[in-house]
Amino acid sequence: NFVLKRYSFQFGFEPFLSNMGQCSCLSFTKTYAESEIEHHMLQHKTTSNGIYKLLLLGTGSSGKSTLFKQFKCLFDPYGLEQHDFQDTVHAIRTNLIESTVKLLLKSEDLYREDSERFADCYMDLENEVLFSHIQNIEKFKSAAVKFQEIDDEKSVALQQLGDSIAFIWKQPAIQCTFKHRGTRFSFMDNMAEFFTKCTEMFASDFYPSKEDVLKCKVMTTGVVCKSYDIRDNFFQIYDVGGQRNERKKWIHIFDNVTAVIFLAALSHFDAVCFEDEK
């Protein structure tokens, strides 16, 4: 009995001994620690049940990340962060270079495919002025420049790059090729607006607006999650990559889903997918 009382004092249960022949039986009451654990588990379960888990799904360029950033603007106490604007500077300039190169290549491809039907897409590469602007763009494309780290020495070259893109964008052949985007080849949305302001966007002191951040295309890879408290309702919103090679990752976030918001771009009903291009 002395041993049992000492054991009871150390570990916080009340044993009792019942004599059944030579056998002894111990019975324990619930400890304070066990009660606390059960209380916290129940509280965690209640909290988890009060979280609404929303998945933003859809194909590439359907607007998932745009909606995700709009949620951030509306419901995050801090809104868009400094790195969002800094990353957008690099993304806009990179997108402008890649889109210009793509228009140049597709202009040539369309003309070779059907020189009569796509005669307006022909560009005279023997034109020295045009060719020099193309070389300037190609130089930056191959250099993989980090546009957030442009110093004073590179600012002049950066401005020249903006002038080259603006010059090529105004070419009739490029405008004709641009009209065939979507049905003939995939192309980023909102680029026409960025092209018209490209000289401004390649200025060394360029700082994007909130609208620029929302409209700029940035390809999402993996899974991104953000939590919000909206009128005492807790939401976890998940953004995912929409390309086909990214969709296998969706299965890992379907547990305890409250709702799926599937997005589709109305302008993409007959558009060529990024993955389907040769």
Side-chain angles (χ1 to χ4, degrees):
N1 288 338
F2 173 76
V3 173
L4 290 175
K5 289 178 181 178
R6 186 174 179 182
Y7 192 73
S8 172
F9 176 78
Q10 287 180 336
F11 295 96
F13 53 78
E14 297 290 337
F16 70 89
L17 185 67
S18 60
N19 294 324
M20 297 177 61
Q22 301 256 332
C23 298
S24 296
C25 178
L26 292 176
S27 177
F28 310 104
T29 60
K30 187 180 296 184
T31 67
Y32 173 77
E34 289 173 327
S35 298
E36 283 294 299
I37 290 173
E38 287 189 3
H39 173 72
H40 284 296
M41 289 178 65
L42 181 62
Q43 189 178 31
H44 177 72
K45 183 178 180 181
T46 304
T47 304
S48 298
N49 290 338
I51 296 177
Y52 300 99
K53 185 176 179 181
L54 306 181
L55 306 186
L56 305 180
L57 303 183
T59 60
S61 301
S62 60
K64 300 181 299 301
S65 297
T66 302
L67 182 59
F68 189 79
K69 286 185 281 189
Q70 287 175 327
F71 275 119
K72 195 172 183 179
C73 291
L74 293 171
F75 303 115
D76 193 308
Y78 302 101
L80 294 172
E81 301 174 54
Q82 184 68 23
H83 71 84
D84 293 319
F85 291 93
Q86 293 173 344
D87 294 343
T88 299
V89 174
H90 178 74
I92 288 176
R93 291 171 174 171
T94 302
N95 291 348
L96 281 167
I97 293 174
E98 292 180 355
S99 298
T100 304
V101 172
K102 187 165 193 175
L103 288 173
L104 288 167
L105 293 174
K106 292 302 177 181
S107 175
E108 186 178 1
D109 290 343
L110 291 174
Y111 182 76
R112 286 181 177 178
E113 179 183 331
D114 192 334
S115 59
E116 294 184 3
R117 180 183 175 188
F118 300 110
D120 293 337
C121 296
Y122 174 74
M123 294 195 69
D124 183 11
L125 298 181
E126 294 183 1
N127 185 313
E128 294 183 2
V129 177
L130 175 62
F131 190 72
S132 64
H133 284 299
I134 294 174
Q135 283 184 316
N136 191 32
I137 295 171
E138 186 63 28
K139 178 178 63 177
F140 270 83
K141 181 179 181 295
S142 58
V145 178
K146 291 184 178 180
F147 289 111
Q148 304 100 317
E149 303 174 0
I150 297 296
D151 54 26
D152 293 337
E153 295 180 1
K154 296 179 181 177
S155 62
V156 176
L158 191 66
Q159 191 62 61
Q160 290 175 349
L161 175 61
D163 293 338
S164 294
I165 292 176
F167 178 85
I168 292 176
W169 170 246
K170 294 176 182 177
Q171 299 302 305
I174 292 298
Q175 292 293 317
C176 182
T177 304
F178 181 73
K179 292 178 182 179
H180 293 290
R181 72 192 186 284
T183 56
R184 304 293 304 186
F185 55 91
S186 65
F187 204 74
M188 299 181 199
D189 293 325
N190 302 315
M191 289 309 300
E193 180 178 341
F194 291 136
F195 272 122
T196 57
K197 301 187 296 182
C198 65
T199 52
E200 172 190 336
M201 292 178 168
F202 279 94
S204 58
D205 60 348
F206 168 67
Y207 193 80
S209 64
K210 184 184 292 186
E211 187 176 355
D212 292 332
V213 177
L214 292 174
K215 290 185 175 182
C216 178
K217 166 66 178 176
V218 179
M219 185 178 292
T220 304
T221 57
V223 178
V224 184
C225 177
K226 191 77 177 175
S227 299
Y228 298 103
D229 180 359
I230 305 173
R231 297 179 181 178
D232 296 327
N233 293 299
F234 296 95
F235 292 87
Q236 285 184 339
I237 302 176
Y238 289 80
D239 183 23
V240 297
Q243 282 69 32
R244 288 172 190 162
N245 61 337
E246 291 288 329
R247 295 174 196 172
K248 58 186 178 182
K249 302 174 185 177
W250 295 0
I251 191 65
H252 302 295
I253 55 174
F254 271 98
D255 291 338
N256 302 317
V257 171
T258 306
V260 172
I261 302 176
F262 193 91
L263 288 89
L266 295 177
S267 59
H268 289 181
F269 72 98
D270 62 345
V272 176
C273 292
F274 170 79
E275 301 91 336
D276 292 335
E277 282 198 86
K278 295 182 181 179

